[in-house]
């Protein structure tokens, strides 16, 4: 069964007046994984979809949703999947792809059937991102050995981290979807710091592997008018094109970034100096 929720886009001047409750209602995605369901949030930010598939004790199939007005979910879309749990498998039009922890799968436009299942005794958590597509590129698995790995930051500034590019155009042909995973080194808490914006692309963050009882403060808003949202493990947040996206945790964690929009240039960003934030 596939559930979906719809979210509108927002003007930055309006967001300045939001209460904590309103901010969370519009941007936070608090529950991605529901037993034997696929849970999706359709956003008007570049028509990006964020979701989770959770096959607890039976397979779950990706179904189309009313907002798409299409016979199949991928008729006009592409899909990115990253497994953040135990071993699982994804069957795409009859072809089986085994996904271990932190492995990814890109599914191209036009595929008819996508099914998620367990592969063993441990529970898989399939995190999903989807964007509109104009061309049918081949489905491709991206294993840990296929990732582009970059070390960023400095322990001196508590932002030492390892960036894993997974579904990016140097590894997988896509129309506009990009996904990757950034791991904070133990003792470091800041991600995407110094922050940036990119009006050419929206972005979504998904936080996981956060220690029980800890929290993450996700920062958003225009650089001179920032806001924060406190988040828990396995929650996601939408980041508009005009907004920074950064976070600090009370312990280290991992997050997945997903993007869609004007271009596929990962380095296209407008950086903001730390001492210029307000």
């Amino acid at each position: 069964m596939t559930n979906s929720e719809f979210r509108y886009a927002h003007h930055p001047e309006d967001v300045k007046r939001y209460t904590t409750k309103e901010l969370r209602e519009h941007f936070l995605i608090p529950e991605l994984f529901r037993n034997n369901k696929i849970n999706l949030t359709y956003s008007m930010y570049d028509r990006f979809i964020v979701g989770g598939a959770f096959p607890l004790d039976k397979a779950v199939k990706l179904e189309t949703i009313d907002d798409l007005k299409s016979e199949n979910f991928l008729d006009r879309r592409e899909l990115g999947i990253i497994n953040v749990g135990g071993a699982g498998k994804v069957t795409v039009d009859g072809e089986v792809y085994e996904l271990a922890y932190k492995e990814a799968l890109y599914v191209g436009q036009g595929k008819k059937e996508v099914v998620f299942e367990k592969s063993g005794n441990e529970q898989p958590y399939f995190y999903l991102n989807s964007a509109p597509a104009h061309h049918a590129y081949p489905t491709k698995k991206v294993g840990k050995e296929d990732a582009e790995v970059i070390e960023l930051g400095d322990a001196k500034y508590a932002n030492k981290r390892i960036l894993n590019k997974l579904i990016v155009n140097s590894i997988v042909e896509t129309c506009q979807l990009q996904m990757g995973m950034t791991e904070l080194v133990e003792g470091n808490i800041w991600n995407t710091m110094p922050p940036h914006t990119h009006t050419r692309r929206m972005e979504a963050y998904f936080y996981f592997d956060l220690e029980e009882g800890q929290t993450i403060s996700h920062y958003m808003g225009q650089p001179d008018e920032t806001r924060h949202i406190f988040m828990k493990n396995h929650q996601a947040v939408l980041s508009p094109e005009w907004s920074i996206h950064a976070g600090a945790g009370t312990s280290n964690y991992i997050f997945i970034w997903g993007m869609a929009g004007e271009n596929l240039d990962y380095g296209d960003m407008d950086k903001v100096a730390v001492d210029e934030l307000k």
Side-chain angles (χ1 to χ4, degrees):
M1 180 177 180
T2 301
N3 297 327
S4 67
E5 179 188 355
F6 183 90
R7 301 278 183 97
Y8 285 102
H10 308 81
H11 195 287
E13 291 300 316
D14 293 329
V15 175
K16 291 176 184 179
R17 295 185 284 271
Y18 284 179
T19 64
T20 297
K21 182 174 182 289
E22 290 171 322
L23 202 68
R24 294 174 71 85
E25 286 176 348
H26 290 297
F27 296 102
L28 178 66
I29 303 173
E31 187 179 10
L32 286 156
F33 303 107
R34 297 179 182 172
N35 293 352
N36 296 323
K37 289 183 174 130
I38 296 175
N39 198 38
L40 305 175
T41 297
Y42 181 105
S43 165
M44 289 302 288
Y45 291 112
D46 287 302
R47 301 188 181 275
F48 199 75
I49 292 177
V50 176
F54 195 68
L56 181 65
D57 52 27
K58 65 179 181 179
V60 293
K61 179 182 175 181
L62 180 62
E63 300 167 326
T64 192
I65 58 176
D66 187 60
D67 293 314
L68 300 182
K69 303 298 184 189
S70 63
E71 183 179 354
N72 303 289
F73 185 90
L74 292 171
D75 284 351
R76 299 185 296 267
R77 290 191 153 263
E78 57 188 353
L79 174 69
I81 304 161
I82 299 178
N83 182 12
V84 299
K89 63 181 178 181
V90 183
T91 304
V92 181
D93 285 355
E95 186 165 355
V96 178
Y97 298 88
E98 297 283 348
L99 291 187
Y101 178 56
K102 298 181 183 177
E103 292 191 322
L105 181 69
Y106 170 80
V107 184
Q109 178 211 3
K111 297 299 183 182
K112 305 298 183 187
E113 187 176 75
V114 182
V115 179
F116 301 87
E117 297 176 78
K118 277 185 177 180
S119 284
N121 295 324
E122 294 186 11
Q123 179 63 50
Y125 289 77
F126 297 104
Y127 176 65
L128 316 177
N129 283 173
S130 175
H134 61 272
H135 183 83
Y137 287 111
T139 297
K140 182 178 179 179
K141 176 182 172 178
V142 183
K144 297 174 187 176
E145 70 282 358
D146 302 313
E148 286 186 15
V149 180
I150 303 170
E151 293 189 12
L152 297 171
D154 191 323
K156 177 181 178 181
Y157 302 111
N159 67 357
K160 189 172 183 180
R161 58 202 189 273
I162 299 168
L163 186 148
N164 302 270
K165 294 183 180 181
L166 297 170
I167 300 175
V168 295
N169 61 337
S170 56
I171 298 174
V172 183
E173 288 186 298
T174 74
C175 293
Q176 60 171 322
L177 180 64
Q178 297 184 78
M179 293 179 74
M181 181 173 57
T182 302
E183 305 178 55
L184 276 290
V185 176
E186 186 173 353
N188 293 263
I189 62 167
W190 284 101
N191 73 64
T192 321
M193 189 59 63
H196 60 263
T197 61
H198 32 63
T199 54
R200 278 74 60 195
R201 298 191 304 272
M202 66 77 64
E203 196 155 357
Y205 273 16
F206 167 72
Y207 292 96
F208 71 104
D209 265 23
L210 177 67
E211 186 179 321
E212 179 104 17
Q214 301 303 306
T215 189
I216 292 164
S217 181
H218 179 84
Y219 294 91
M220 61 167 292
Q222 293 172 297
D224 62 349
E225 192 77 38
T226 59
R227 298 289 184 271
H228 70 272
I229 299 175
F230 279 104
M231 298 177 61
K232 299 177 182 179
N233 196 46
H234 282 177
Q235 292 186 333
V237 64
L238 298 169
S239 178
E241 297 90 339
W242 45 263
S243 174
I244 65 166
H245 31 274
T250 52
S251 68
N252 60 307
Y253 51 90
I254 306 174
F255 72 97
I256 291 172
W257 42 267
M259 296 183 284
E262 185 71 23
N263 61 47
L264 289 169
D265 180 4
Y266 176 83
D268 176 15
M269 57 187 71
D270 303 313
K271 297 179 181 179
V272 181
V274 173
D275 59 0
E276 293 178 357
L277 293 167
K278 295 179 181 177

